[in-house]
Amino acid sequence: MSTPAKWEAVIGLEVHVQLLTQTKMFCGCTNHYGDAPTSHVCPVCLGLPGSLPVPNEEAIRLTLLTGLMLGCTLAPVARFDRKNYFYPDMPKNYQISQYDDPLCAGGQVPLDPFLFPKEIQDTAEAKAGRAIRLTRIHLEEDVAKSFHFEDRSGIDFNRAGTPLMEIVSEADLRTPGEAFSFLGSLRQVLLAGHVSHADMEKGQMRCDVNVSVRPIGQKEFGTKVELKNLNSTSGVRRALTYEIARQITACEKGEAIAHETRRWDDEAGATFTMRTKEKAHDYRYFPDPDLLPVRTDQGLLEAARTRLPELPSVLQARLIQAFGVTAYQASVLGADRILCAYFEKAAAQAKSKATVANWILNDFLSTQPDPATTPILPEFFGELADLVADGTINSAQAKKVFAELMANPASPREIVKRLGLAQISDVSALGTYCDEAIAANPRSVEDYRAGKTNAINALKGFVMKKSQGKANPLQVDEILKAKLSA
Amino acid sequence: MSAPQINISDVASLARLTLTPDETAKFSAQLSQILGHMETLSQIATGAVPEVTPPAQPALRQDIPTPSLSIEAALSNAPAQANDLILVPRILE
C-alpha cells in the first residue's frame, strides 16, 4: 500500500475562447487571423475619439448557445462594463467586458473519461465521472497582438476588438489530469456548437490557471498562484504537475507561498515568478455608458436555442446504444463529427455495426484519411463487414480487400470478384483439401492423435496454402477434427 | 456626517497622473465631496422600487463585414511604425 498523500491541489481555470464570427465584437472589421498587420482596423477598434461601439449580435448568440450547451442560467438582461488598465495592446485604455451582469451564470462541464491523458484513462480518477461547476461565462473584446523586439514592441491591432468569450470555472478541479480533461471536454462542446475552433496551440482557446495546495481535510484554501503562458492542454497538465509539487515542497519546509503570477516555461519544464501582486488589481469597473443593456429575451435566446446541437454525451450514448460500439469508440467518433457522420452512414445498413466501427477506427483511420473528401464511400465499409459476416470472405481476405479498397476504391463485392477472393465453403471441396493435408503430413497427424492439439495448425496451413487462402478457416477446422478423430 | 476619505495618490497612480502636493490636497477635497453626494444618494430606500428593465433592444449589429481603414490611413498618426506595426516602448513582462 502506498502512503496516502497528505496534500491536495485546488485548481480553477479561466478559459478565453475566440468566437467564430465574421466580424469584430463592436465594429464591422473582419475577424480573421494571419492577414497583413493593421489591415482590419477602424476608428472603433483603434479607440479613436468620437467612435461608438455597436455589439455584434452573432457573438451574443454564440455565447448564449454556449451557456445553453453547458447548462448555465442565462440572463434576460446583460450589461457591458469597462475594465480600466493601461497596456499598449488595448487602444482605449479600457477593455469592454462584463462584470455584474454576464450573459451566463453557473453551468458545468462533465469530464469525459476518454479525454483524460491516455495513460490514466483506466484509473479511478478518470472514471469518477465528475462534472466541474462553472462560475460564469461572459463576453468581452480581445486585445491586440504584440511582437517584442530588442528595444521596442510592435502592435498589430487586427485582433483588437475581436469577440472573446471567457469561461470561468469554480475551484473544483483537483488534479492536472482533471484540468486536461476539462479543456478537452469543453472543446468538444464548443466544436459541437460551431462556437469556436478552440485550438489552444493556435491561440483560439487560451487558459489561465489558479492553483493552490492544502492538507487533505482542510476546508480553507491555500494561497493561490496564477499560471500564465500555457499554450496546449498537455502544457497545462505539465505546468500544474510542476507547480503543485513546488508548492507542496515549499509547504513541507514551512515556507509561505507567495501570492503571485508565475510564467510556465515549457522548455525548462518549470514556472518562474512574473510579478508579485502587491495589491489586487484595481480595474475600476463601471457600466459602459456607450452601450445599453442587452435584452436576451427578445429573440437572441430563441435564435440560440434553435442551434442547439446533439451534445457530446448524448451523441456518445446514442452511438453505444444504436451501433454497439465501445465507450472508447464512441468518444473517438464523438470527437470528430465528420468522421462520426461517415461512420453512421457506413453502419446504417450493415449487419454487424460494431465491426464497421472496428474497420473505420482501426484500419481506415490509420491511413489518415480526410472523411470529408475521401473517394471511399462509407457504404463500402458496411459491405466489407457484411462480406465477412456472411462468410463470403474470411478475415485474412478482408484485409486484402481493404488494402485494395484503399488503392483502387471500388465496391468490396467487386474487389472480391476482381481478385478472385471468394472464400471456399463447399464441404466436398474442402474435404478434398483436408484429405490431401492428412496424406502429406503423417507426422503432424501422429502428433495430433498423440494429444498435441497444436499440430492441427500445420494441417490447416497446408489447406490454406493449397486453396490460396480461400478456404473457410472455421469449416476447415471442423472437417479436419472430424477426419482426425475418425 | 463626515465626507468619506479618498486616497488620491492611489487613484492618481492608477490614472498615470503626477500631482503636485497642492493638487493632491485640492482634488482630495473635491473628490471626497463627490463621494459624499453618492453616500447621500445611497441613503434613499430603493428596496421597493422595481429595477427598470431596458424598454427595448438597443441597436445590435449583424455579423457582416464592413470596409476597414487602409493600412496607410490606420498608421498615419502612429509616432513610430515598422512592418505595418505600431511601435511602442518595449513592453516589459
Side-chain angles (χ1 to χ4, degrees), chain A residues 5 24 26 69 83 100 106 167 194 211 213 246 274 461 466 474 485:
Chain A
K24 293 192 180 184
F26 296 108
M69 293 192 292
K83 178 182 180 180
D100 286 323
I167 301 172
H194 301 286
V211 55
V213 298
R246 186 190 73 83
M274 270 176 79
K466 267 273 166 182
L474 292 177
S485 56

Side-chain angles (χ1 to χ4, degrees), chain A residues 67-102:
Chain A
L68 284 170
M69 293 192 292
L70 296 172
C72 303
T73 305
L74 305 176
V77 179
R79 292 177 171 80
F80 287 106
D81 298 277
R82 291 184 180 180
K83 178 182 180 180
N84 299 278
Y85 63 96
F86 291 102
Y87 213 67
D89 58 12
M90 209 179 45
K92 297 190 296 296
N93 287 336
Y94 61 83
Q95 178 189 27
I96 303 177
S97 181
Q98 297 191 279
Y99 190 63
D100 286 323
D101 299 299

Side-chain angles (χ1 to χ4, degrees), chain B residues 7-29:
Chain B
N7 185 343
I8 202 74
S9 54
D10 208 29
V11 176
S13 83
L14 285 169
R16 304 286 193 272
L17 294 175
T18 313
L19 302 181
T20 64
D22 281 353
E23 286 170 330
T24 304
K26 186 174 160 192
F27 295 149
S28 288

Side-chain angles (χ1 to χ4, degrees), chain A residues 386-406:
Chain A
D386 281 355
L387 287 170
V388 179
D390 67 19
T392 308
I393 53 175
N394 58 43
S395 54
Q397 290 173 320
K399 292 277 179 197
K400 284 187 191 162
V401 174
F402 174 78
E404 180 64 13
L405 181 59
M406 292 299 116

Side-chain angles (χ1 to χ4, degrees), chain A residues 21-25 27-29 37-41 54-58 79 86-87 148-156 279 282 292-295 298 300, chain B residues 10 13-16 51-66 68-69 71 74-75 80 83-93:
Chain A
T21 58
Q22 297 295 310
T23 66
K24 293 192 180 184
M25 185 61 227
C27 63
C29 287
T38 323
S39 58
H40 302 316
V41 296
V54 185
N56 180 341
E57 61 180 15
E58 176 65 3
R79 292 177 171 80
F86 291 102
Y87 213 67
H148 303 296
F149 308 122
E150 207 166 308
D151 56 343
R152 306 262 203 121
S153 293
I155 316 281
D156 172 11
K279 54 187 172 184
D282 186 349
L292 285 165
V294 174
R295 296 276 303 256
Q298 295 194 346
L300 288 168
Chain B
D10 208 29
S13 83
L14 285 169
R16 304 286 193 272
E51 197 179 342
V52 178
T53 306
Q57 190 70 285
L60 299 177
R61 199 172 45 76
Q62 284 189 296
D63 188 27
I64 297 168
T66 52
S68 295
L69 295 174
I71 295 176
L75 291 171
N83 306 325
D84 293 340
L85 299 172
I86 294 176
L87 291 183
V88 298
R90 185 167 157 72
I91 303 167
L92 297 173
E93 292 221 315

Side-chain angles (χ1 to χ4, degrees), chain A residues 220-246:
Chain A
E220 296 76 27
F221 292 148
T223 306
K224 74 176 176 188
V225 166
E226 190 178 354
L227 299 184
K228 289 204 178 274
N229 194 39
L230 303 163
N231 301 322
S232 66
T233 34
S234 51
V236 169
R237 185 188 177 208
R238 284 193 295 274
L240 275 169
T241 304
Y242 172 88
E243 179 60 20
I244 291 166
R246 186 190 73 83

